[in-house]
Amino acid sequence: MVSRVIPVDVFDLVVFGGTGDLARRKILPGLYIRFRAGQMPEESCIIGAARAEMTDEGYRAFVGAAIAEFVAKDKQDAAVIAKFLARLAYVSIDATGENGWAKLAGLVRKGVVRAFYFSVAPSLFGDLAERLHAHGMADPESRIVVEKPFGRDLASAKALNAVLAAHFDEGQIYRIDHYLGKETVQNLMAVRFANILFEPLWNAQYVDHVQITVAETVGVGGRGSYYDQSGAMRDMVQNHMMQLLCLIAMEPPYKFDPDAVRDEKLKVIRALDPVPPEDIVRGQYRGGPRKDGSGEPSYCEDAGDAQSRTESYIALKVKVSNWRWQGTPFYLRTGKKLRGRESEIAITFKEPPHSIFGDEEGWRENVLAIRLQPNEGMNLTVMIKEPGPGGMRLTEVPLDMSFAEALGDEGADIPDAYERLIMDVIRGNQTLFMRGDEVEAAWAWTDPIIQGWEARGDKPRGYDPGSSGPEDALMLLHRDGRRWREIRE
Ligand code: NAD
């Protein structure tokens, strides 16, 4: 299969926070890859804007080092890197003061697509929007890209939406959720809506339950005190997992159009039931010995707060109260320091209404598992006759589709979510970005859950590093006669 690269229009992209961790690891290496692929036109410019004093040359060296560190070696071509670096400039700027703004306004061209990536703390969003406006850069053609976290509750999300809305229309605001940029997540929509096969079964009549798992092996490490202000519910469930749930549960949009898709996602969020305390399990990883005999810090040690009640793990049973999903639970779990690194959505179908084979031992439910990482792909388990002359015995086989294998060279080249999303910003396509009302609706569902455990003073349950999470999380499914899928090491 030959990959088709359609160049985007010429653009100027200003990366506020252009010296930060996110810019260094994701945004700038991603732009280089798109440049190398021929998607970023050579006349485009990238302007790093951050607090540090630096020359253009200094910034090019900084970005060159980021490419050397974060781009695969076989994609590092000296000549292409030199061309790419020549498209970079740098402005030392203060989001909260006047320093650098006149220079930036002089650099950003009129007549090309202008995008401003706010890769800075959300507390600076208002200052940036205000100054872009004051210096004549907030015209109807410009777009802004904002990073997570988008608020820590409904009130703060509303406040952020309001400061952005003061100078930009909703159609100019791109709220990034990098999960939506993943190939598999978009494939979920293709599988659902470009095939006749699944959609008739995609409802409570045929789907027993859905599991969404985002498991990490790493702890909060050096980000401990920062993470301690949020926890798994705010950091993962309110945004990424909610988005995945929406894509599974939503009705077919009338068109693959940004607002049509986002309207349907919003309806799902609004249909979510409040979650009672017995349907929530929060956990916190304990310390433990490492294989080399040294000690591994507990969550509280990582967070620098021996009394912390923030969860590094959460499992929830979520109900979507609408006609399609009445009676089909969605089980969500995410955690740090678990036994494997895995993101997966698994749709478990119901038993056939009648077994003509009698009480067949080998029988298993059909499961459609959609892997986001590692090895993006899909796997559908089906029952077949066990080969051989031993009578009619059933066995389960996977119909496995790993995109990297199925798509050959192109599959191996699946773009990183950031690459795709930045190109979507330039193309002006908001389908894979969260709309303001979606984010607010997600917080409106999340707030009472968090307020509930805060008011009760709930403590998270301890779990061992390298485990599958707290024991109580197993019970959440056991009591419904179900089991979590195994998190693979
Ligand atoms: P960082 O602390 O590494 O970098 C912050 C950047 O902001 C620096 O370039 C700094 O110079 C700039 N900055 C700070 N104050 C400024 C001011 N007053 N004026 C102008 N520039 C200023 O942060 P980061 O990890 O790159 O994260 C940036 C944003 O992206 C944050 O909102 C973060 O929550 C979000 N985010 C980061 C990651 C990640 O992997 N790092 C992932 C998702 C979201």
Side-chain angles (χ1 to χ4, degrees):
M1 215 178 287
V2 181
S3 165
R4 270 189 309 154
V5 173
I6 302 168
V8 296
D9 291 339
V10 175
F11 64 87
D12 281 354
L13 172 67
V14 177
V15 184
F16 291 109
T19 59
D21 176 66
L22 183 66
R24 207 169 66 84
R25 284 192 306 112
K26 292 288 182 188
I27 303 172
L28 295 159
L31 283 161
Y32 160 73
I33 301 276
R34 291 295 96 206
F35 182 80
R36 179 178 175 271
Q39 197 164 25
M40 170 180 157
E42 295 204 5
E43 306 77 34
S44 303
C45 291
I46 298 161
I47 303 162
R51 256 189 320 198
E53 290 293 339
M54 218 187 271
T55 59
D56 289 345
E57 273 317 308
Y59 192 58
R60 288 175 191 143
F62 169 86
V63 177
I67 292 171
E69 189 173 349
F70 296 108
V71 172
K73 292 278 174 276
D74 62 348
K75 291 187 182 155
Q76 295 186 21
D77 307 318
V80 185
I81 293 176
K83 266 188 174 175
F84 174 73
L85 295 180
R87 305 312 307 161
L88 298 178
Y90 182 79
V91 181
S92 169
I93 209 159
D94 181 6
T96 58
E98 280 311 304
N99 179 38
W101 286 95
K103 181 175 172 194
L104 183 65
L107 279 178
V108 178
R109 294 170 291 178
K110 287 213 182 293
V112 301
V113 173
R114 297 161 158 206
F116 300 91
Y117 200 129
F118 291 9
S119 183
V120 295
S123 55
L124 296 176
F125 289 180
D127 291 300
L128 291 178
E130 180 67 45
R131 285 185 171 74
L132 283 173
H133 170 73
H135 290 272
M137 288 178 272
D139 61 28
E141 298 309 312
S142 35
R143 358 202 130 151
I144 56 172
V145 186
V146 295
E147 266 297 336
K148 84 168 205 183
F150 201 85
R152 54 173 287 106
D153 53 21
L154 178 58
S156 54
K158 277 188 169 171
L160 279 180
N161 275 335
V163 294
L164 299 180
H167 300 297
F168 295 92
D169 290 339
E170 183 61 35
Q172 296 175 276
I173 304 171
Y174 291 73
R175 294 176 195 77
I176 286 225
D177 185 321
H178 68 272
Y179 270 58
L180 290 181
K182 288 184 183 285
E183 186 76 10
T184 328
V185 172
Q186 292 163 72
N187 237 316
L188 181 56
M189 285 189 273
V191 165
R192 278 195 66 189
F193 304 129
N195 297 288
I196 193 71
L197 217 55
F198 295 107
E199 199 50 30
L201 303 179
W202 212 263
N203 54 55
Q205 194 182 347
Y206 296 107
V207 176
D208 179 70
H209 73 281
V210 176
Q211 293 186 21
I212 307 178
T213 300
V214 177
E216 295 178 89
T217 50
V218 294
V220 296
R223 290 175 65 235
S225 54
Y226 165 81
Y227 183 91
D228 204 43
Q229 306 303 311
S230 59
M233 185 73 181
R234 289 191 171 98
D235 192 50
M236 291 299 303
V237 177
Q238 183 273 344
N239 39 44
H240 307 313
M241 297 181 87
M242 173 76 76
Q243 290 295 321
L244 300 181
L245 187 154
C246 284
L247 295 178
I248 300 166
M250 72 183 188
E251 295 300 315
Y254 75 94
K255 198 173 166 190
F256 191 59
D257 157 277
D259 278 327
V261 171
R262 296 184 303 176
D263 285 347
E264 296 306 333
K265 287 186 351 201
L266 181 62
K267 287 182 204 163
V268 174
I269 303 174
R270 290 189 171 149
L272 296 179
D273 273 359
V275 185
E278 63 273 20
D279 288 349
I280 305 169
V281 177
R282 295 194 311 134
Q284 221 182 44
Y285 58 81
R286 303 188 182 104
R290 276 213 194 98
K291 281 181 187 146
D292 64 7
S294 63
E296 199 162 336
S298 67
Y299 174 81
C300 287
E301 285 166 326
D302 276 341
D305 176 2
Q307 305 302 322
S308 171
R309 291 187 172 187
T310 305
E311 74 284 356
S312 61
Y313 175 100
I314 189 164
L316 309 120
K317 177 178 171 181
V318 176
K319 293 180 193 153
V320 183
S321 262
N322 62 17
W323 202 321
R324 185 187 284 259
W325 294 115
Q326 202 52 248
T328 296
F330 288 68
Y331 299 101
L332 275 48
R333 67 178 160 166
T334 180
K336 301 205 176 274
K337 283 227 181 156
L338 297 178
R339 69 193 298 254
R341 176 174 172 267
E342 188 171 85
S343 299
E344 184 196 74
I345 302 166
I347 292 127
T348 300
F349 292 91
K350 289 188 174 169
E351 297 180 21
H354 165 70
S355 168
I356 63 165
F357 304 108
D359 279 345
E360 176 49 59
E361 264 188 27
W363 188 84
R364 296 274 179 284
E365 305 101 336
N366 301 122
V367 178
L368 175 65
I370 300 150
R371 276 190 314 273
L372 275 63
Q373 64 186 24
N375 308 328
E376 291 196 50
M378 295 195 192
N379 182 342
L380 175 68
T381 55
V382 291
M383 298 309 299
I384 60 160
K385 176 191 167 300
E386 195 176 278
M392 191 63 184
R393 286 198 300 260
L394 300 182
T395 189
E396 173 190 47
V397 289
L399 295 179
D400 199 336
M401 191 174 107
S402 160
F403 297 144
E405 281 167 31
L407 303 180
D409 289 348
E410 193 188 351
D413 243 6
I414 293 174
D416 180 82
Y418 275 92
E419 293 172 36
R420 177 194 319 276
L421 292 173
I422 296 170
M423 290 300 107
D424 276 358
V425 172
I426 306 302
R427 277 189 284 255
N429 186 343
Q430 289 187 308
T431 311
L432 301 175
F433 297 83
M434 293 177 296
R435 211 168 51 191
D437 52 1
E438 244 185 287
V439 179
E440 290 186 11
W443 280 120
W445 175 78
T446 311
D447 272 5
I449 298 175
I450 296 178
Q451 285 159 3
W453 72 58
E454 284 177 351
R456 292 188 303 273
D458 288 356
K459 278 191 188 160
R461 306 266 186 270
Y463 63 93
D464 289 331
S467 69
S468 299
E471 293 283 318
D472 289 18
L474 303 180
M475 289 311 299
L476 191 65
L477 268 75
H478 277 188
R479 68 170 202 227
D480 292 348
R482 301 185 175 106
R483 279 196 301 177
W484 287 110
R485 286 163 62 80
E486 194 184 342
I487 299 175
R488 278 154 299 189
E489 274 187 73

